[in-house]
C-alpha cells in the first residue's frame, strides 16, 4: 500500500466532494460533517462519474440514473447499482488529506 497526499481539508467544505486522480485511479473525496471519506469515482452501474452527482449526508447520488452509495462503506443502497464501490483508507495530517492505495 502507498500513501498519497491528495488535497487539503480546507479545500473541501462539509457537504461537498472533490475528484482526484491517484496512480491512474479516479477517487472521490467526500466531506461528511468534517470527516473525509474516499471512494472510487465511477458508478458501478454504468461507469459514470460520481463527482458530477450530489452528496446528500453520507450518500452520493449518481447523476445518470440515481443510484445511491454510502460513502462510508461504498455500499450500493439503491438500484440500478448493486455492486459496492471501492473505498480507500483516509488519514488527515494537519490540513493534508492522505489516501492509501
Amino acid at each position: 500500500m502507498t500513501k498519497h497526499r491528495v488535497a487539503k481539508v480546507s479545500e473541501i467544505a462539509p457537504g461537498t466532494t472533490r475528484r482526484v486522480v491517484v496512480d491512474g485511479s479516479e477517487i472521490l473525496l467526500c466531506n461528511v460533517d468534517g470527516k473525509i471519506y474516499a471512494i472510487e469515482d465511477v458508478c458501478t452501474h454504468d461507469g459514470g462519474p460520481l463527482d458530477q452527482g450530489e452528496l446528500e449526508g453520507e450518500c452520493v447520488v449518481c447523476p445518470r440514473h440515481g443510484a445511491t452509495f454510502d460513502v462510508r462503506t461504498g455500499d450500493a443502497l439503491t438500484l440500478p447499482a448493486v455492486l459496492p464501490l471501492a473505498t480507500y483508507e483516509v488519514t488527515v495530517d494537519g490540513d493534508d488529506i492522505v489516501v492509501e492505495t
Side-chain angles (χ1 to χ4, degrees):
M1 295 289 187
T2 305
K3 294 183 178 187
H4 307 271
R5 292 184 189 279
V6 295
K8 303 278 188 192
V9 174
S10 58
E11 298 171 335
I12 309 170
T16 66
T17 64
R18 171 173 277 189
R19 178 183 181 272
V20 295
V21 178
V22 179
D23 287 343
S25 296
E26 298 169 354
I27 297 175
L28 187 63
L29 303 174
C30 305
N31 186 332
V32 178
D33 295 326
K35 182 160 174 57
I36 305 295
Y37 296 92
I39 57 174
E40 68 179 313
D41 186 28
V42 180
C43 179
T44 59
H45 165 245
D46 71 354
L50 293 173
D51 67 302
Q52 302 300 310
E54 295 294 321
L55 182 62
E56 298 176 354
E58 62 278 337
C59 297
V60 66
V61 180
C62 180
R64 287 182 155 177
H65 301 109
T68 304
F69 299 90
D70 187 321
V71 302
R72 301 167 299 173
T73 63
D75 291 340
L77 302 176
T78 63
L79 295 173
V82 294
L83 298 174
L85 299 169
T87 60
Y88 300 89
E89 188 70 31
V90 174
T91 55
V92 174
D93 181 14
D95 192 37
D96 292 332
I97 298 169
V98 180
V99 174
E100 193 170 312
T101 60

